[in-house]
Amino acid sequence: MPMGCGCFPRRSRKAGHSKLARLPSMTDSINTSIPKKKDVPEKKLVVCFGEMLIDFVPMTAGVSLADAEGFKKAAGGAPANVAVGISRLGGSAAFMGKVGADEFGYMLSNILKENNVDNSGMCFDQNARTALAFVTLRSDGEREFMFYRNPSADMLLTKNELNVDLINKARIFHYGSISLIEEPCRSAHLTAMDIAKQAGCILSYDPNLRLPLWPSAEAARKGIMSIWNLADIIKVSEEEITFLTGGDDPYDDDDDMVMNKLYHSNLKLLLVTEGSAGCRYYTKEFKGKVAGIKADCVDTTGAGDSFVGSVLNSLASDPELFKNENCLKEALKFANACGALTVEKKGAIPALPTKEAVYKVLSQTSA
């Protein structure tokens, strides 16, 4: 893969020579006494807010939950997946949410820690269980969900439990829509967004539609769109476009529908994922498409989160990425490769790739 773009992270190279020591000068004491901007630590942290749960995935694809003979247990929840995805790529990420004070909750907290994700924003509820989701895999690798959360701990996060200091350290604040469904978590979500905005964070939104969790389709559409115009970055799937626009064709001529109905004046970047076909991108100045990477699909769980994690990791290093189309396309090619690698394994977090694995598949693709 060509890596000539200066605004996309490179692999490190070992220096071929060492520099000679410089003799001290009379101005050294003056220069070192004045703080330099480059010496100030740069904010690159991505804080991911929302749900973390246990996915139970059938050991055999193409069967119903009732017919499945066994399930593989895997950590999941879109915001947590994104956080781990960023960390796997060498970025800085934190997760903020609530789990039960139970074996699953403690297991999830430890998984974050093992994956170098800051878990200081996690809370534990003594009176509610960690959410569970049984995920049916069709023969094509697509999914259907059955959730156990009545209520689960993630729904009970309050605004008083928010780790404000953690949000203030972030460059990007990322969230979905599931945390908007019920109180008190909805109020906590809105408060966290407000804190992040005031702290100068980039607001990143992936609706991650899960209709069975909402009271109705109309409630889902209204809830998702209620915070739409506040985001700086939005990622949606083709299916979500059709749902949010009330049935419009996501492939209309010249993308007029997408720009007229989904792009808003505060938005810096809108991304539309198309599965194995890749993704489309829209900014105020330009729009285009980046082709997908071939993969042997086993389980699509976490593929979109892997894509988002990669994009946010690139943005954390270069917040102006969306202004340079060549750099953006390079970053999106990398993100497409992340999604492709993720579908080749079962589960979400266990399948998220390292940057070395992504570089390898890209080098094979371009060969």
Side-chain angles (χ1 to χ4, degrees), residues 6-26:
C7 51
F8 191 75
R10 297 171 179 263
R11 284 168 286 185
S12 61
R13 298 178 180 176
K14 293 183 179 179
H17 62 277
S18 57
K19 293 183 179 180
L20 295 176
R22 183 180 63 85
L23 294 175
S25 71
M26 293 181 66

Side-chain angles (χ1 to χ4, degrees), residues 222-237:
K222 183 178 179 181
I224 288 171
M225 297 305 295
S226 69
I227 60 170
W228 192 266
N229 289 348
L230 299 175
D232 299 299
I233 311 293
I234 296 177
K235 174 268 183 188
V236 288
S237 67

Side-chain angles (χ1 to χ4, degrees), residues 187-210:
S187 291
H189 182 145
L190 297 177
T191 299
M193 282 179 60
D194 186 56
I195 294 169
K197 194 69 174 180
Q198 292 187 41
C201 296
I202 296 170
L203 298 187
S204 166
Y205 186 23
D206 178 1
N208 196 40
L209 176 66
R210 295 289 179 263

